Amino acid sequence: MYIVLAQRLEANSGYLDQLFKIYHYPSKYKNQIHEGDFFIYYQYDLKNSGTRCYFGSGEIGAIEQGNDNTYYANLTNCNEFNYKVPVYLEEIGYVEKYTPTPQETLVTPAWRNSIRVITEDAYNFIIQKGTLNLS
């Protein structure tokens, strides 16, 4: 499966994330993230929407349950992108909704969800933009 992992910038979220190493998340997402999933990192700041972008990728390793009904996903094969990928591109709309065939991509992603499922096409498009900065 292909997913987006959100990283909040502006404040202490209360989670014990370690960029490109560990993703700490609440139990409500336990069925949306699995060992072997491929992820894209998304960053945001609730006070500054101009900071929203995709900035890296990797794979979900072993997942462990914490003592406080939260989970810790170990992140493997991680790479920071050469270029930050904006969440919206004029020519295609929201990149999280990308498909190679024309269709509605103006549907807004569920920004408030820390973990979001995306298609393989969207995953590959974001990876390509982040590593090659193709226009």
Side-chain angles (χ1 to χ4, degrees), residues 63-121:
I63 297 173
E64 301 167 16
Q65 184 171 1
N67 294 330
D68 57 353
N69 204 26
T70 62
Y71 291 82
Y72 297 84
N74 291 287
L75 308 178
T76 63
N77 303 317
C78 297
N79 295 296
E80 187 168 358
F81 291 162
N82 296 328
Y83 307 95
K84 290 184 177 179
V85 179
V87 298
Y88 185 88
L89 294 171
E90 193 64 40
E91 66 273 17
I92 66 152
Y94 290 105
V95 298
E96 242 177 80
K97 303 293 184 176
Y98 171 80
T99 62
T101 56
Q103 70 176 32
E104 182 62 53
T105 57
L106 297 177
V107 175
T108 306
W111 299 123
R112 294 200 181 269
N113 291 343
S114 297
I115 299 173
R116 302 186 291 276
V117 175
I118 59 174
T119 65
E120 183 176 2
D121 288 329

Side-chain angles (χ1 to χ4, degrees), residues 20 36-39 56-61 74-80 123 127:
F20 297 105
D37 286 351
F38 294 97
F39 74 87
S57 65
E59 189 173 346
I60 303 299
N74 291 287
L75 308 178
T76 63
N77 303 317
C78 297
N79 295 296
E80 187 168 358
Y123 173 86
I127 293 285

